[in-house]
Protein backbone atom coordinates (compact mmCIF):
# COMPACT_ATOMS: atom_id res chain seq x y z
CA UNK A 1 0.00 0.00 0.00
CA UNK A 2 2.78 2.41 0.91
CA UNK A 3 6.23 2.02 -0.53
CA UNK A 4 9.03 4.30 0.57
CA UNK A 5 12.42 4.24 -1.11
CA UNK A 6 15.55 6.03 0.07
CA UNK A 7 13.62 8.77 1.79
CA UNK A 8 15.78 11.61 3.02
CA UNK A 9 14.96 14.78 4.94
CA UNK A 10 17.22 17.56 6.11
CA UNK A 11 16.42 20.76 7.88
CA UNK A 12 19.18 23.11 6.79
CA UNK A 13 22.42 21.42 7.81
CA UNK A 14 20.75 18.87 9.98
CA UNK A 15 20.03 15.53 8.35
CA UNK A 16 17.16 13.88 10.17
CA UNK A 17 16.34 11.11 7.74
CA UNK A 18 19.24 9.65 5.81
CA UNK A 19 17.93 6.73 3.82
CA UNK A 20 14.62 5.24 4.82
CA UNK A 21 13.12 2.44 2.76
CA UNK A 22 10.12 0.40 3.78
CA UNK A 23 6.74 -0.95 2.80
CA UNK A 24 3.44 -1.01 4.62
CA UNK A 25 0.91 -3.51 3.37
CA UNK A 26 -2.81 -3.26 3.72
CA UNK A 27 -4.05 -4.45 7.11
CA UNK A 28 -0.66 -4.19 8.76
CA UNK A 29 0.03 -2.39 12.01
CA UNK A 30 3.56 -1.06 12.12
CA UNK A 31 5.05 0.37 15.28
CA UNK A 32 7.95 2.74 15.00
CA UNK A 33 10.11 2.94 18.08
CA UNK A 34 13.42 4.51 18.90
CA UNK A 35 15.15 7.22 20.91
CA UNK A 36 13.96 10.79 20.69
CA UNK A 37 15.24 12.85 17.83
CA UNK A 38 15.83 9.97 15.43
CA UNK A 39 13.30 11.14 12.90
CA UNK A 40 10.30 8.98 13.72
CA UNK A 41 7.80 11.85 13.69
CA UNK A 42 9.54 13.48 10.76
CA UNK A 43 9.13 10.24 8.88
CA UNK A 44 5.38 10.12 9.53
CA UNK A 45 5.03 13.75 8.60
CA UNK A 46 6.82 13.06 5.31
CA UNK A 47 4.35 10.28 4.53
CA UNK A 48 1.54 12.73 5.06
CA UNK A 49 3.39 15.44 3.19
CA UNK A 50 3.32 17.75 6.18
CA UNK A 51 7.04 17.81 5.48
CA UNK A 52 8.47 17.78 2.00
CA UNK A 53 11.23 15.16 1.78
CA UNK A 54 14.64 16.22 0.54
CA UNK A 55 15.03 13.05 -1.46
CA UNK A 56 13.67 9.60 -2.19
CA UNK A 57 10.20 8.51 -3.18
CA UNK A 58 6.89 7.72 -1.58
CA UNK A 59 4.27 5.69 -3.40
CA UNK A 60 0.75 5.20 -2.16
CA UNK A 61 -1.09 2.47 -4.03
CA UNK A 62 1.33 2.96 -6.88
CA UNK A 63 0.90 6.74 -7.05
CA UNK A 64 4.06 8.80 -6.64
CA UNK A 65 2.99 11.38 -4.06
CA UNK A 66 6.05 13.54 -4.51
CA UNK A 67 5.15 14.17 -8.13
CA UNK A 68 4.16 17.84 -8.42
CA UNK A 69 1.12 16.81 -10.36
CA UNK A 70 -0.23 14.63 -7.56
CA UNK A 71 -3.32 15.90 -5.76
CA UNK A 72 -1.96 16.13 -2.22
CA UNK A 73 -5.35 16.80 -0.68
CA UNK A 74 -6.69 13.55 -2.12
CA UNK A 75 -3.69 11.66 -0.69
CA UNK A 76 -4.30 13.16 2.72
CA UNK A 77 -7.87 11.91 2.63
CA UNK A 78 -6.60 8.36 2.18
CA UNK A 79 -4.10 8.75 4.92
CA UNK A 80 -5.14 10.48 8.10
CA UNK A 81 -3.08 11.48 11.07
CA UNK A 82 -3.51 11.49 14.83
CA UNK A 83 -1.17 13.86 16.63
CA UNK A 84 0.43 13.88 20.05
CA UNK A 85 -1.31 17.15 20.85
CA UNK A 86 -4.73 16.12 19.52
CA UNK A 87 -5.15 19.24 17.33
CA UNK A 88 -8.92 19.41 17.67
CA UNK A 89 -10.68 22.55 16.50
CA UNK A 90 -11.33 24.39 19.75
CA UNK A 91 -14.11 26.51 18.35
CA UNK A 92 -16.13 23.55 17.12
CA UNK A 93 -18.08 21.04 19.17
CA UNK A 94 -16.94 17.46 19.32
CA UNK A 95 -19.50 16.46 16.71
CA UNK A 96 -18.59 19.36 14.45
CA UNK A 97 -14.92 18.36 14.70
CA UNK A 98 -15.92 15.09 13.11
CA UNK A 99 -18.40 16.35 10.53
CA UNK A 100 -16.49 19.31 9.12
CA UNK A 101 -14.19 17.34 6.83
CA UNK A 102 -16.77 14.93 5.35
CA UNK A 103 -19.12 17.87 4.70
CA UNK A 104 -16.60 20.28 3.28
CA UNK A 105 -14.19 17.92 1.54
CA UNK A 106 -16.51 15.16 0.47
CA UNK A 107 -19.73 17.11 0.08
CA UNK A 108 -21.51 14.72 2.44
CA UNK A 109 -25.00 15.88 3.45
CA UNK A 110 -25.02 17.21 7.03
CA UNK A 111 -27.49 14.65 8.35
CA UNK A 112 -25.50 11.73 6.99
CA UNK A 113 -22.24 13.23 8.30
CA UNK A 114 -23.76 13.72 11.75
CA UNK A 115 -25.24 10.26 11.95
CA UNK A 116 -21.99 8.59 10.85
CA UNK A 117 -20.00 10.77 13.22
CA UNK A 118 -22.22 9.90 16.17
CA UNK A 119 -21.65 6.25 15.40
CA UNK A 120 -17.90 6.83 15.45
CA UNK A 121 -18.12 8.73 18.71
CA UNK A 122 -19.98 5.79 20.21
CA UNK A 123 -17.26 3.50 18.89
CA UNK A 124 -14.69 5.40 20.91
CA UNK A 125 -17.01 5.60 23.91
CA UNK A 126 -17.85 9.29 23.67
CA UNK A 127 -21.34 9.33 22.16
CA UNK A 128 -22.71 11.44 24.99
CA UNK A 129 -20.07 14.17 24.59
CA UNK A 130 -21.06 15.08 21.03
CA UNK A 131 -22.30 18.54 21.98
CA UNK A 132 -19.38 19.38 24.24
CA UNK A 133 -16.35 21.45 23.29
CA UNK A 134 -12.77 20.18 23.35
CA UNK A 135 -11.78 22.21 26.39
CA UNK A 136 -14.41 20.36 28.40
CA UNK A 137 -12.70 17.05 27.73
CA UNK A 138 -9.79 15.30 29.38
CA UNK A 139 -6.64 14.58 27.35
CA UNK A 140 -7.63 10.98 26.81
CA UNK A 141 -11.10 11.99 25.65
CA UNK A 142 -9.66 14.57 23.27
CA UNK A 143 -7.42 11.97 21.74
CA UNK A 144 -10.30 9.56 21.31
CA UNK A 145 -12.22 12.32 19.53
CA UNK A 146 -9.16 12.91 17.36
CA UNK A 147 -9.14 9.24 16.43
CA UNK A 148 -12.85 9.31 15.68
CA UNK A 149 -12.30 12.40 13.54
CA UNK A 150 -9.70 10.47 11.59
CA UNK A 151 -12.11 7.64 11.03
CA UNK A 152 -14.81 10.02 9.81
CA UNK A 153 -12.90 10.41 6.55
CA UNK A 154 -12.73 6.62 6.09
CA UNK A 155 -9.00 6.59 5.57
CA UNK A 156 -7.16 3.64 4.14
CA UNK A 157 -4.38 4.15 6.63
CA UNK A 158 -4.02 6.03 9.89
CA UNK A 159 -0.72 7.50 11.00
CA UNK A 160 -0.41 7.99 14.75
CA UNK A 161 2.38 10.19 16.04
CA UNK A 162 2.96 9.38 19.70
CA UNK A 163 -0.78 9.29 20.36
CA UNK A 164 -0.40 8.87 24.12
CA UNK A 165 2.79 10.79 24.90
CA UNK A 166 0.97 13.90 26.06
CA UNK A 167 -1.49 12.02 28.24
CA UNK A 168 -1.24 11.42 31.92
CA UNK A 169 -0.75 7.73 32.70
CA UNK A 170 -4.29 7.16 33.90
CA UNK A 171 -5.75 8.02 30.50
CA UNK A 172 -3.19 6.26 28.31
CA UNK A 173 -4.96 2.93 28.48
CA UNK A 174 -8.31 4.23 27.27
CA UNK A 175 -6.66 5.54 24.10
CA UNK A 176 -4.60 2.39 23.58
CA UNK A 177 -7.80 0.37 23.91
CA UNK A 178 -9.33 2.28 21.00
CA UNK A 179 -6.22 1.78 18.88
CA UNK A 180 -6.16 -1.92 19.71
CA UNK A 181 -9.71 -2.20 18.55
CA UNK A 182 -8.90 -0.52 15.25
CA UNK A 183 -6.04 -2.98 14.81
CA UNK A 184 -8.37 -5.89 15.48
CA UNK A 185 -10.79 -4.50 12.90
CA UNK A 186 -8.04 -4.56 10.30
CA UNK A 187 -7.17 -0.85 10.02
CA UNK A 188 -3.77 -0.25 8.47
CA UNK A 189 -1.74 1.85 10.87
CA UNK A 190 1.73 3.23 11.42
CA UNK A 191 2.23 4.24 15.03
CA UNK A 192 5.16 6.11 16.52
CA UNK A 193 5.06 5.16 20.17
CA UNK A 194 7.01 4.79 23.38
CA UNK A 195 4.50 2.29 24.77
CA UNK A 196 6.57 -0.82 24.27
CA UNK A 197 4.17 -3.36 25.70
CA UNK A 198 1.43 -1.95 23.51
CA UNK A 199 3.69 -1.96 20.43
CA UNK A 200 4.53 -5.55 21.15
CA UNK A 201 0.91 -6.59 21.46
CA UNK A 202 -0.66 -4.76 18.59
CA UNK A 203 1.95 -4.73 15.79
CA UNK A 204 2.66 -7.02 12.90
CA UNK A 205 6.06 -5.46 12.49
CA UNK A 206 8.23 -3.11 14.49
CA UNK A 207 10.71 -0.64 13.04
CA UNK A 208 13.47 0.53 15.31
CA UNK A 209 14.67 3.87 13.97
CA UNK A 210 18.09 5.23 14.71
CA UNK A 211 20.88 6.99 12.82
CA UNK A 212 18.32 8.46 10.42
CA UNK A 213 17.14 5.18 9.03
CA UNK A 214 15.30 2.01 9.90
CA UNK A 215 18.10 0.53 11.90
CA UNK A 216 16.40 -2.79 12.51
CA UNK A 217 13.00 -4.22 11.71
CA UNK A 218 11.22 -7.40 12.52
CA UNK A 219 8.28 -8.99 14.27
CA UNK A 220 7.60 -7.82 17.81
CA UNK A 221 9.17 -11.06 19.09
CA UNK A 222 12.31 -10.45 17.06
CA UNK A 223 12.72 -6.82 18.05
CA UNK A 224 11.71 -7.04 21.70
CA UNK A 225 13.02 -10.49 22.60
CA UNK A 226 15.95 -11.03 20.26
CA UNK A 227 17.15 -7.71 18.86
CA UNK A 228 20.24 -8.48 16.86
CA UNK A 229 21.88 -5.13 16.37
CA UNK A 230 23.74 -3.28 19.06
CA UNK A 231 21.73 -0.08 19.26
CA UNK A 232 18.44 -1.91 19.18
CA UNK A 233 19.59 -4.05 22.06
CA UNK A 234 20.74 -1.05 24.05
CA UNK A 235 17.38 0.66 23.51
CA UNK A 236 15.27 -2.36 24.28
CA UNK A 237 17.25 -3.20 27.40
CA UNK A 238 16.59 0.13 28.94
CA UNK A 239 13.05 -0.89 29.41
CA UNK A 240 13.53 -4.54 30.14
CA UNK A 241 15.18 -7.26 30.64
CA UNK A 242 17.62 -9.60 31.94
CA UNK A 243 17.65 -12.85 29.99
CA UNK A 244 19.41 -16.03 30.90
CA UNK A 245 19.15 -19.52 29.62
CA UNK A 246 20.08 -22.20 32.13
CA UNK A 247 20.86 -25.58 30.70
CA UNK A 248 21.93 -27.62 33.68
CA UNK A 249 21.12 -28.01 37.36
CA UNK A 250 24.79 -27.17 38.06
CA UNK A 251 24.25 -23.47 37.43
CA UNK A 252 26.39 -21.03 39.35
CA UNK A 253 23.97 -19.29 41.71
CA UNK A 254 26.48 -16.66 42.78
CA UNK A 255 27.39 -15.75 39.21
CA UNK A 256 23.68 -15.38 38.47
CA UNK A 257 23.29 -13.25 41.60
CA UNK A 258 26.14 -11.00 40.49
CA UNK A 259 24.49 -10.47 37.12
CA UNK A 260 21.12 -9.74 38.68
CA UNK A 261 22.76 -7.31 41.11
CA UNK A 262 24.41 -5.56 38.18
CA UNK A 263 21.04 -5.34 36.42
CA UNK A 264 19.46 -3.91 39.57
CA UNK A 265 22.24 -1.39 39.99
CA UNK A 266 21.99 -0.33 36.37
CA UNK A 267 18.32 0.45 36.84
CA UNK A 268 18.76 1.86 40.33
CA UNK A 269 16.32 -0.57 41.86
CA UNK A 270 15.71 -0.06 45.59
CA UNK A 271 17.66 -2.31 47.93
CA UNK A 272 14.54 -4.10 49.17
CA UNK A 273 13.51 -4.88 45.59
CA UNK A 274 16.95 -6.25 44.83
CA UNK A 275 16.93 -8.45 47.92
CA UNK A 276 13.46 -9.77 47.21
CA UNK A 277 14.36 -10.47 43.60
CA UNK A 278 17.51 -12.39 44.52
CA UNK A 279 15.63 -14.51 47.04
CA UNK A 280 12.83 -15.14 44.55
CA UNK A 281 15.31 -16.24 41.91
CA UNK A 282 17.04 -18.65 44.27
CA UNK A 283 13.74 -20.16 45.40
CA UNK A 284 12.47 -20.50 41.85
CA UNK A 285 15.72 -22.10 40.70
CA UNK A 286 15.26 -24.66 43.45
CA UNK A 287 11.73 -25.31 42.15
CA UNK A 288 13.11 -25.75 38.63
CA UNK A 289 16.02 -28.02 39.61
CA UNK A 290 14.18 -31.20 38.50
CA UNK A 291 13.22 -29.59 35.18
CA UNK A 292 16.79 -28.53 34.49
CA UNK A 293 17.78 -32.17 34.39
CA UNK A 294 15.47 -32.62 31.40
CA UNK A 295 15.89 -29.39 29.49
CA UNK A 296 16.71 -25.71 29.47
CA UNK A 297 15.09 -22.95 31.50
CA UNK A 298 14.71 -19.47 30.03
CA UNK A 299 14.54 -16.74 32.62
CA UNK A 300 13.57 -13.17 31.80
CA UNK A 301 13.50 -10.41 34.39
CA UNK A 302 11.63 -7.35 33.22
CA UNK A 303 11.85 -4.05 34.96
CA UNK A 304 9.35 -1.39 34.04
CA UNK A 305 10.84 2.01 34.70
CA UNK A 306 7.41 3.51 34.34
CA UNK A 307 5.75 1.43 37.03
CA UNK A 308 8.92 0.61 38.94
CA UNK A 309 7.74 -2.96 38.90
CA UNK A 310 9.66 -6.16 38.39
CA UNK A 311 8.35 -9.21 36.66
CA UNK A 312 10.06 -12.56 36.16
CA UNK A 313 9.16 -14.99 33.40
CA UNK A 314 10.16 -18.63 33.58
CA UNK A 315 9.89 -20.80 30.49
CA UNK A 316 10.55 -24.46 29.88
CA UNK A 317 9.65 -26.94 27.19
CA UNK A 318 8.05 -30.29 27.92
CA UNK A 319 4.73 -31.63 29.09
CA UNK A 320 2.21 -29.10 30.33
CA UNK A 321 3.08 -28.49 33.95
CA UNK A 322 2.95 -25.65 36.43
CA UNK A 323 6.07 -26.07 38.55
CA UNK A 324 4.44 -24.25 41.42
CA UNK A 325 1.71 -26.86 41.80
CA UNK A 326 2.30 -27.83 45.38
CA UNK A 327 2.03 -31.53 44.73
CA UNK A 328 5.18 -31.24 42.64
CA UNK A 329 7.20 -29.71 45.46
CA UNK A 330 9.00 -31.49 48.30
CA UNK A 331 7.60 -29.12 50.94
CA UNK A 332 5.87 -25.78 51.39
CA UNK A 333 8.90 -23.81 52.55
CA UNK A 334 10.02 -22.51 49.19
CA UNK A 335 6.47 -22.00 47.96
CA UNK A 336 5.48 -19.94 51.01
CA UNK A 337 8.48 -17.69 50.46
CA UNK A 338 7.65 -17.34 46.76
CA UNK A 339 4.03 -16.52 47.59
CA UNK A 340 5.09 -13.84 50.07
CA UNK A 341 7.47 -12.22 47.61
CA UNK A 342 5.02 -12.06 44.71
CA UNK A 343 1.59 -10.57 44.27
CA UNK A 344 0.66 -12.38 41.13
CA UNK A 345 1.55 -15.65 39.51
CA UNK A 346 0.35 -16.59 36.05
CA UNK A 347 0.89 -19.96 34.45
CA UNK A 348 0.07 -20.58 30.84
CA UNK A 349 1.03 -22.69 27.92
CA UNK A 350 2.56 -20.62 25.10
CA UNK A 351 3.84 -22.17 21.87
CA UNK A 352 4.10 -25.60 23.48
CA UNK A 353 6.12 -24.21 26.35
CA UNK A 354 5.28 -23.76 29.99
CA UNK A 355 5.42 -20.14 30.97
CA UNK A 356 5.18 -18.87 34.52
CA UNK A 357 5.06 -15.11 35.09
CA UNK A 358 5.61 -13.82 38.60
CA UNK A 359 5.17 -10.21 39.60
CA UNK A 360 7.33 -9.08 42.49
CA UNK A 361 5.37 -7.52 45.32
CA UNK A 362 6.28 -3.89 45.64
CA UNK A 363 7.54 -2.81 49.07
CA UNK B 1 29.16 -18.84 55.11
CA UNK B 2 30.86 -18.43 58.49
CA UNK B 3 30.29 -21.15 61.01
CA UNK B 4 31.82 -20.79 64.44
CA UNK B 5 30.99 -22.86 67.46
CA UNK B 6 31.88 -22.26 71.11
CA UNK B 7 30.86 -23.85 74.34
CA UNK B 8 29.13 -21.53 76.78
CA UNK B 9 27.02 -21.95 79.90
CA UNK B 10 26.43 -25.62 79.33
CA UNK B 11 25.46 -25.31 75.72
CA UNK B 12 26.95 -24.78 72.30
CA UNK B 13 26.61 -21.40 70.64
CA UNK B 14 26.85 -21.61 66.86
CA UNK B 15 27.50 -18.24 65.22
CA UNK B 16 26.46 -18.10 61.58
CA UNK B 17 27.62 -15.36 59.23
CA UNK B 18 27.05 -14.50 55.58
CA UNK B 19 24.55 -16.61 53.67
CA UNK B 20 22.71 -19.82 54.44
CA UNK B 21 21.47 -20.75 50.99
CA UNK B 22 21.38 -23.61 48.49
CA UNK B 23 25.16 -23.36 48.06
CA UNK B 24 26.16 -23.20 51.74
CA UNK B 25 23.40 -25.29 53.36
CA UNK B 26 25.20 -28.63 52.72
CA UNK B 27 28.31 -27.32 54.51
CA UNK B 28 26.17 -26.07 57.40
CA UNK B 29 24.51 -29.47 57.74
CA UNK B 30 27.85 -31.23 57.71
CA UNK B 31 29.25 -29.02 60.47
CA UNK B 32 26.16 -29.29 62.65
CA UNK B 33 26.14 -33.07 62.20
CA UNK B 34 29.76 -33.17 63.39
CA UNK B 35 28.91 -31.24 66.52
CA UNK B 36 25.87 -33.32 67.35
CA UNK B 37 27.73 -36.54 66.66
CA UNK B 38 30.42 -35.29 69.02
CA UNK B 39 27.90 -35.44 71.84
CA UNK B 40 26.58 -31.90 72.11
CA UNK B 41 22.80 -31.62 72.45
CA UNK B 42 21.95 -28.11 73.68
CA UNK B 43 22.33 -25.54 70.93
CA UNK B 44 21.83 -21.83 70.48
CA UNK B 45 22.21 -20.58 66.94
CA UNK B 46 23.16 -16.93 66.80
CA UNK B 47 21.84 -15.25 63.64
CA UNK B 48 23.17 -11.76 64.30
CA UNK B 49 25.77 -11.93 61.53
CA UNK B 50 23.69 -13.91 59.05
CA UNK B 51 22.73 -11.68 56.12
CA UNK B 52 20.63 -14.02 54.03
CA UNK B 53 18.64 -17.20 54.34
CA UNK B 54 16.58 -19.10 51.80
CA UNK B 55 14.39 -22.18 52.01
CA UNK B 56 17.52 -24.32 51.60
CA UNK B 57 18.87 -22.74 54.77
CA UNK B 58 15.57 -23.24 56.55
CA UNK B 59 15.65 -26.91 55.65
CA UNK B 60 19.12 -27.12 57.17
CA UNK B 61 17.69 -25.68 60.38
CA UNK B 62 14.86 -28.21 60.30
CA UNK B 63 17.41 -31.00 59.93
CA UNK B 64 19.20 -29.60 62.98
CA UNK B 65 15.95 -29.60 64.94
CA UNK B 66 15.18 -33.21 64.00
CA UNK B 67 18.67 -34.36 64.83
CA UNK B 68 18.49 -32.79 68.26
CA UNK B 69 14.98 -34.03 68.95
CA UNK B 70 16.13 -37.56 68.26
CA UNK B 71 18.79 -37.08 70.90
CA UNK B 72 16.49 -35.43 73.41
CA UNK B 73 18.39 -32.19 72.85
CA UNK B 74 17.29 -28.56 72.60
CA UNK B 75 17.53 -25.84 70.01
CA UNK B 76 16.97 -22.11 70.31
CA UNK B 77 17.56 -19.25 67.89
CA UNK B 78 18.96 -15.88 68.95
CA UNK B 79 19.09 -12.51 67.18
CA UNK B 80 16.87 -13.44 64.25
CA UNK B 81 16.40 -10.03 62.67
CA UNK B 82 16.19 -8.04 59.47
CA UNK B 83 15.83 -9.94 56.20
CA UNK B 84 16.38 -13.29 57.91
CA UNK B 85 13.50 -12.55 60.28
CA UNK B 86 11.34 -11.63 57.31
CA UNK B 87 12.03 -15.00 55.69
CA UNK B 88 11.24 -16.76 58.96
CA UNK B 89 7.91 -14.98 58.96
CA UNK B 90 7.18 -15.70 55.29
CA UNK B 91 7.68 -19.40 55.87
CA UNK B 92 6.04 -19.72 59.28
CA UNK B 93 9.33 -20.58 60.99
CA UNK B 94 8.77 -17.78 63.45
CA UNK B 95 6.02 -19.78 65.10
CA UNK B 96 7.79 -23.14 64.83
CA UNK B 97 10.89 -22.27 66.81
CA UNK B 98 11.96 -20.52 69.98
CA UNK B 99 13.34 -17.11 69.05
CA UNK B 100 15.29 -15.18 71.64
CA UNK B 101 16.41 -11.56 71.76
CA UNK B 102 19.99 -12.47 72.65
CA UNK B 103 22.38 -15.37 73.07
CA UNK B 104 22.34 -14.79 76.84
CA UNK B 105 18.55 -15.07 76.96
CA UNK B 106 18.66 -18.18 74.79
CA UNK B 107 21.29 -19.86 76.96
CA UNK B 108 19.31 -19.01 80.05
CA UNK B 109 16.23 -20.58 78.52
CA UNK B 110 18.04 -23.82 77.80
CA UNK B 111 16.99 -25.95 80.74
Amino acid sequence: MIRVEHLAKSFGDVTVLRDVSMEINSGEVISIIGPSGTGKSTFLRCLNLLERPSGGSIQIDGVDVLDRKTDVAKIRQKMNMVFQSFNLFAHLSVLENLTIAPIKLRGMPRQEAESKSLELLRLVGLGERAADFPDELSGGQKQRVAIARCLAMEPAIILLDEPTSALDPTTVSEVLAVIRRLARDGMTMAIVTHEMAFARDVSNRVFYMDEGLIYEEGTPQQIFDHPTREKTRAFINRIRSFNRRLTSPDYDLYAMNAEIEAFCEKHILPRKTRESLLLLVEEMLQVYAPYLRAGALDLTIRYSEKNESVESIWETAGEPANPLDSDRLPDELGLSIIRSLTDSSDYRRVNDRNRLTLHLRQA
Amino acid sequence: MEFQARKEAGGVVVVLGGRLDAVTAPEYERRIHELVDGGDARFVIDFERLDYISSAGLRGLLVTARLLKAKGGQLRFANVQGGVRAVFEMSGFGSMFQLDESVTAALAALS
Side-chain angles (χ1 to χ4, degrees), chain A residues 253-254 257 275 278-279 282-283 286 330-331 333-334 336-337 340-341, chain B residues 19 21-24 52-56 58-59 62 87 90-91 93:
Chain A
L253 175 65
Y254 291 167
N257 280 358
E275 288 170 356
L278 288 169
L279 181 56
E282 179 182 339
E283 295 300 341
Q286 289 289 291
D331 58 41
L333 283 176
S336 55
I337 294 174
S340 296
L341 293 173
Chain B
R19 297 172 56 100
D21 59 22
V23 174
T24 57
Y52 175 97
I53 195 166
S54 66
S55 67
L58 296 178
R59 278 186 208 99
L62 272 179
V87 174
M90 283 179 216
S91 57
F93 251 51

Side-chain angles (χ1 to χ4, degrees), chain A residues 206-260:
Chain A
V206 177
F207 294 161
Y208 171 74
M209 280 191 74
D210 206 334
E211 297 181 356
L213 36 76
I214 294 175
Y215 184 85
E216 190 170 348
E217 78 164 270
T219 62
Q221 288 67 35
Q222 285 166 337
I223 295 294
F224 289 111
D225 292 344
H226 308 291
T228 56
R229 300 191 63 195
E230 198 190 318
K231 284 193 170 180
T232 326
R233 290 217 299 269
F235 179 78
I236 295 293
N237 287 338
R238 227 174 279 137
I239 37 144
R240 52 177 303 235
S241 79
F242 168 91
N243 296 296
R244 276 306 165 270
R245 167 164 277 209
L246 287 102
T247 52
S248 116
D250 298 323
Y251 57 86
D252 183 340
L253 175 65
Y254 291 167
M256 171 87 87
N257 280 358
E259 290 177 41
I260 295 175

